[in-house]
PDB file of all heavy atoms in Angstrom:
ATOM      1  N   ILE A 125      -5.509  15.470  29.990  1.00 98.00           N
ATOM      2  CA  ILE A 125      -4.401  16.346  30.255  1.00 98.00           C
ATOM      3  C   ILE A 125      -4.538  16.971  31.601  1.00 98.00           C
ATOM      4  O   ILE A 125      -3.547  16.952  32.395  1.00 98.00           O
ATOM      5  CB  ILE A 125      -4.219  17.434  29.123  1.00 98.00           C
ATOM      6  CG1 ILE A 125      -4.174  16.781  27.764  1.00 98.00           C
ATOM      7  CG2 ILE A 125      -3.014  18.263  29.356  1.00 98.00           C
ATOM      8  CD1 ILE A 125      -4.087  17.777  26.596  1.00 98.00           C
ATOM      9  N   ASN A 126      -5.727  17.494  31.916  1.00 98.00           N
ATOM     10  CA  ASN A 126      -5.958  18.120  33.235  1.00 98.00           C
ATOM     11  C   ASN A 126      -5.688  17.107  34.346  1.00 98.00           C
ATOM     12  O   ASN A 126      -4.990  17.401  35.352  1.00 98.00           O
ATOM     13  CB  ASN A 126      -7.397  18.614  33.320  1.00 98.00           C
ATOM     14  CG  ASN A 126      -7.696  19.707  32.367  1.00 98.00           C
ATOM     15  OD1 ASN A 126      -8.210  19.436  31.241  1.00 98.00           O
ATOM     16  ND2 ASN A 126      -7.413  20.955  32.710  1.00 98.00           N
ATOM     17  N   TRP A 127      -6.248  15.925  34.235  1.00 98.00           N
ATOM     18  CA  TRP A 127      -6.203  14.947  35.348  1.00 98.00           C
ATOM     19  C   TRP A 127      -4.812  14.430  35.571  1.00 98.00           C
ATOM     20  O   TRP A 127      -4.374  14.165  36.714  1.00 98.00           O
ATOM     21  CB  TRP A 127      -7.220  13.837  35.134  1.00 98.00           C
ATOM     22  CG  TRP A 127      -8.604  14.264  35.385  1.00 98.00           C
ATOM     23  CD1 TRP A 127      -9.619  14.471  34.510  1.00 98.00           C
ATOM     24  CD2 TRP A 127      -9.157  14.622  36.707  1.00 98.00           C
ATOM     25  NE1 TRP A 127     -10.714  14.911  35.117  1.00 98.00           N
ATOM     26  CE2 TRP A 127     -10.484  15.015  36.449  1.00 98.00           C
ATOM     27  CE3 TRP A 127      -8.702  14.616  37.980  1.00 98.00           C
ATOM     28  CZ2 TRP A 127     -11.337  15.409  37.527  1.00 98.00           C
ATOM     29  CZ3 TRP A 127      -9.523  15.002  38.986  1.00 98.00           C
ATOM     30  CH2 TRP A 127     -10.836  15.392  38.779  1.00 98.00           C
ATOM     31  N   ALA A 128      -4.009  14.309  34.498  1.00 98.00           N
ATOM     32  CA  ALA A 128      -2.624  13.864  34.696  1.00 98.00           C
ATOM     33  C   ALA A 128      -1.828  14.824  35.509  1.00 98.00           C
ATOM     34  O   ALA A 128      -1.052  14.517  36.381  1.00 98.00           O
ATOM     35  CB  ALA A 128      -1.940  13.673  33.288  1.00 98.00           C
ATOM     36  N   VAL A 129      -2.061  16.158  35.280  1.00 98.00           N
ATOM     37  CA  VAL A 129      -1.327  17.179  36.024  1.00 98.00           C
ATOM     38  C   VAL A 129      -1.899  17.225  37.439  1.00 98.00           C
ATOM     39  O   VAL A 129      -1.155  17.352  38.459  1.00 98.00           O
ATOM     40  CB  VAL A 129      -1.430  18.580  35.333  1.00 98.00           C
ATOM     41  CG1 VAL A 129      -0.655  19.647  36.146  1.00 98.00           C
ATOM     42  CG2 VAL A 129      -0.855  18.454  33.925  1.00 98.00           C
ATOM     43  N   ILE A 130      -3.195  17.215  37.551  1.00 98.00           N
ATOM     44  CA  ILE A 130      -3.846  17.315  38.909  1.00 98.00           C
ATOM     45  C   ILE A 130      -3.333  16.180  39.801  1.00 98.00           C
ATOM     46  O   ILE A 130      -3.120  16.377  41.027  1.00 98.00           O
ATOM     47  CB  ILE A 130      -5.391  17.209  38.776  1.00 98.00           C
ATOM     48  CG1 ILE A 130      -5.960  18.507  38.192  1.00 98.00           C
ATOM     49  CG2 ILE A 130      -6.072  16.894  40.078  1.00 98.00           C
ATOM     50  CD1 ILE A 130      -7.422  18.434  37.799  1.00 98.00           C
ATOM     51  N   ASN A 131      -3.169  15.002  39.203  1.00 98.00           N
ATOM     52  CA  ASN A 131      -2.735  13.864  39.992  1.00 98.00           C
ATOM     53  C   ASN A 131      -1.200  13.799  40.184  1.00 98.00           C
ATOM     54  O   ASN A 131      -0.697  12.831  40.769  1.00 98.00           O
ATOM     55  CB  ASN A 131      -3.225  12.518  39.357  1.00 98.00           C
ATOM     56  CG  ASN A 131      -4.655  12.372  39.492  1.00 98.00           C
ATOM     57  OD1 ASN A 131      -5.344  12.927  40.380  1.00 98.00           O
ATOM     58  ND2 ASN A 131      -5.258  11.598  38.599  1.00 98.00           N
ATOM     59  N   GLY A 132      -0.487  14.856  39.787  1.00 98.00           N
ATOM     60  CA  GLY A 132       0.941  14.923  40.025  1.00 98.00           C
ATOM     61  C   GLY A 132       1.777  13.987  39.263  1.00 98.00           C
ATOM     62  O   GLY A 132       2.884  13.655  39.623  1.00 98.00           O
ATOM     63  N   GLU A 133       1.266  13.552  38.089  1.00 97.00           N
ATOM     64  CA  GLU A 133       2.036  12.633  37.222  1.00 97.00           C
ATOM     65  C   GLU A 133       3.351  13.306  36.722  1.00 97.00           C
ATOM     66  O   GLU A 133       3.359  14.519  36.467  1.00 97.00           O
ATOM     67  CB  GLU A 133       1.226  12.185  36.004  1.00 97.00           C
ATOM     68  CG  GLU A 133      -0.065  11.459  36.324  1.00 97.00           C
ATOM     69  CD  GLU A 133       0.129  10.031  36.842  1.00 97.00           C
ATOM     70  OE1 GLU A 133       1.315   9.588  36.967  1.00 97.00           O
ATOM     71  OE2 GLU A 133      -0.895   9.388  37.094  1.00 97.00           O
ATOM     72  N   THR A 134       4.374  12.565  36.633  1.00 97.00           N
ATOM     73  CA  THR A 134       5.640  13.138  36.070  1.00 97.00           C
ATOM     74  C   THR A 134       5.806  12.804  34.588  1.00 97.00           C
ATOM     75  O   THR A 134       6.730  13.286  33.933  1.00 97.00           O
ATOM     76  CB  THR A 134       6.832  12.525  36.828  1.00 97.00           C
ATOM     77  OG1 THR A 134       6.837  11.142  36.725  1.00 97.00           O
ATOM     78  CG2 THR A 134       6.793  12.956  38.314  1.00 97.00           C
ATOM     79  N   GLU A 135       4.849  12.041  34.080  1.00 97.00           N
ATOM     80  CA  GLU A 135       4.896  11.683  32.671  1.00 97.00           C
ATOM     81  C   GLU A 135       3.471  11.402  32.118  1.00 97.00           C
ATOM     82  O   GLU A 135       2.626  10.899  32.866  1.00 97.00           O
ATOM     83  CB  GLU A 135       5.755  10.435  32.441  1.00 97.00           C
ATOM     84  CG  GLU A 135       5.909  10.035  31.004  1.00 97.00           C
ATOM     85  CD  GLU A 135       6.725   8.724  30.853  1.00 97.00           C
ATOM     86  OE1 GLU A 135       6.292   7.702  31.372  1.00 97.00           O
ATOM     87  OE2 GLU A 135       7.804   8.773  30.207  1.00 97.00           O
ATOM     88  N   THR A 136       3.266  11.833  30.867  1.00 98.00           N
ATOM     89  CA  THR A 136       2.041  11.484  30.205  1.00 98.00           C
ATOM     90  C   THR A 136       2.408  11.129  28.783  1.00 98.00           C
ATOM     91  O   THR A 136       3.572  10.768  28.523  1.00 98.00           O
ATOM     92  CB  THR A 136       0.969  12.564  30.320  1.00 98.00           C
ATOM     93  OG1 THR A 136      -0.257  12.099  29.716  1.00 98.00           O
ATOM     94  CG2 THR A 136       1.382  13.873  29.662  1.00 98.00           C
ATOM     95  N   GLY A 137       1.505  11.404  27.811  1.00 98.00           N
ATOM     96  CA  GLY A 137       1.897  11.110  26.421  1.00 98.00           C
ATOM     97  C   GLY A 137       0.694  11.023  25.551  1.00 98.00           C
ATOM     98  O   GLY A 137      -0.373  11.575  25.947  1.00 98.00           O
ATOM     99  N   VAL A 138       0.835  10.460  24.379  1.00 98.00           N
ATOM    100  CA  VAL A 138      -0.312  10.300  23.428  1.00 98.00           C
ATOM    101  C   VAL A 138      -0.321   8.842  22.965  1.00 98.00           C
ATOM    102  O   VAL A 138       0.693   8.166  22.906  1.00 98.00           O
ATOM    103  CB  VAL A 138      -0.182  11.192  22.214  1.00 98.00           C
ATOM    104  CG1 VAL A 138      -0.423  12.653  22.575  1.00 98.00           C
ATOM    105  CG2 VAL A 138       1.289  11.117  21.536  1.00 98.00           C
ATOM    106  N   THR A 139      -1.533   8.376  22.621  1.00 98.00           N
ATOM    107  CA  THR A 139      -1.757   7.031  22.247  1.00 98.00           C
ATOM    108  C   THR A 139      -2.636   7.059  20.966  1.00 98.00           C
ATOM    109  O   THR A 139      -3.639   7.762  20.909  1.00 98.00           O
ATOM    110  CB  THR A 139      -2.478   6.233  23.341  1.00 98.00           C
ATOM    111  OG1 THR A 139      -1.698   6.306  24.507  1.00 98.00           O
ATOM    112  CG2 THR A 139      -2.634   4.752  22.973  1.00 98.00           C
ATOM    113  N   THR A 140      -2.304   6.208  19.987  1.00 98.00           N
ATOM    114  CA  THR A 140      -3.290   5.949  18.906  1.00 98.00           C
ATOM    115  C   THR A 140      -3.899   4.584  19.119  1.00 98.00           C
ATOM    116  O   THR A 140      -3.192   3.635  19.513  1.00 98.00           O
ATOM    117  CB  THR A 140      -2.632   5.994  17.548  1.00 98.00           C
ATOM    118  OG1 THR A 140      -1.415   5.228  17.483  1.00 98.00           O
ATOM    119  CG2 THR A 140      -2.313   7.475  17.224  1.00 98.00           C
ATOM    120  N   PHE A 141      -5.175   4.435  18.876  1.00 98.00           N
ATOM    121  CA  PHE A 141      -5.850   3.200  19.070  1.00 98.00           C
ATOM    122  C   PHE A 141      -7.123   3.138  18.112  1.00 98.00           C
ATOM    123  O   PHE A 141      -7.618   4.141  17.740  1.00 98.00           O
ATOM    124  CB  PHE A 141      -6.309   2.956  20.534  1.00 98.00           C
ATOM    125  CG  PHE A 141      -7.403   3.938  20.936  1.00 98.00           C
ATOM    126  CD1 PHE A 141      -8.758   3.535  20.949  1.00 98.00           C
ATOM    127  CD2 PHE A 141      -7.081   5.208  21.332  1.00 98.00           C
ATOM    128  CE1 PHE A 141      -9.764   4.391  21.316  1.00 98.00           C
ATOM    129  CE2 PHE A 141      -8.119   6.108  21.743  1.00 98.00           C
ATOM    130  CZ  PHE A 141      -9.439   5.702  21.710  1.00 98.00           C
ATOM    131  N   PHE A 142      -7.445   1.931  17.779  1.00 98.00           N
ATOM    132  CA  PHE A 142      -8.624   1.750  16.909  1.00 98.00           C
ATOM    133  C   PHE A 142      -9.891   1.803  17.766  1.00 98.00           C
ATOM    134  O   PHE A 142      -9.976   1.162  18.830  1.00 98.00           O
ATOM    135  CB  PHE A 142      -8.606   0.394  16.186  1.00 98.00           C
ATOM    136  CG  PHE A 142      -7.636   0.378  14.979  1.00 98.00           C
ATOM    137  CD1 PHE A 142      -6.460  -0.405  14.981  1.00 98.00           C
ATOM    138  CD2 PHE A 142      -7.881   1.183  13.903  1.00 98.00           C
ATOM    139  CE1 PHE A 142      -5.610  -0.436  13.920  1.00 98.00           C
ATOM    140  CE2 PHE A 142      -6.979   1.222  12.820  1.00 98.00           C
ATOM    141  CZ  PHE A 142      -5.893   0.411  12.849  1.00 98.00           C
TER     142      PHE A 142
END
Side-chain angles (χ1 to χ4, degrees):
I125 305 177
N126 298 93
W127 285 109
V129 181
I130 288 171
N131 289 337
E133 302 286 1
T134 58
E135 182 182 62
T136 184
V138 287
T139 304
T140 50
F141 68 97
F142 284 115

